[in-house]
Amino acid sequence: MSDIVLVTFHWKGDTEELQKRYDQVLEHVVAVSPARPLVHLAAPAADGFKVFDVWTNEEIARRMVENPDFNLKLQDFGLGEAEIEFTSVHRMGWPVSASPMYR
């Protein structure tokens, strides 16, 4: 069992506009972040835009999500509230025996 957690942010709306706002806010969010995720992915969605962050544990992830400065930056750049989901990670990465990595 792993303490690793996946946090998914889902903003609904115009995908291109949300992606533009995400691109504008990212550096500001990094500047106020109390920690950094192991993995950060951002992707367009059919109904908006999603961000996937993998954290070492839920406590650290919640500190980020609940950080007032983080949320203020999102609001300042027009992202507002996202649907946020916390998911326990069962496995991260491929088994070492799965070689070669690329075919």
Side-chain angles (χ1 to χ4, degrees):
M1 181 148 150
S2 172
D3 288 340
I4 296 173
V5 65
L6 169 68
V7 181
T8 305
F9 297 82
H10 185 180
W11 289 274
K12 292 188 177 178
D14 180 83
T15 301
E16 288 183 28
E17 182 63 29
L18 290 167
Q19 183 170 322
K20 179 177 144 189
R21 291 175 187 206
Y22 161 84
D23 289 340
Q24 293 171 340
V25 77
L26 184 59
E27 287 185 35
H28 300 276
V29 166
V30 169
V32 300
S33 176
R36 298 210 178 174
L38 296 171
V39 176
H40 174 84
L41 302 167
D47 60 348
F49 197 76
K50 291 186 177 185
V51 168
F52 306 90
D53 287 335
V54 177
W55 294 88
T56 54
N57 66 62
E58 188 170 336
E59 179 185 342
I60 293 170
R62 287 199 181 275
R63 261 194 289 157
M64 176 63 181
V65 171
E66 296 168 2
N67 178 328
D69 293 331
F70 168 73
N71 288 296
L72 184 59
K73 292 297 178 192
L74 294 180
Q75 289 175 10
D76 287 349
F77 284 82
L79 283 175
E81 285 192 40
E83 292 177 6
I84 302 173
E85 182 180 354
F86 288 77
T87 307
S88 239
V89 173
H90 174 70
R91 176 184 293 274
M92 186 169 134
W94 288 60
V96 174
S97 62
S99 291
M101 183 175 278
Y102 302 102
R103 297 174 196 231

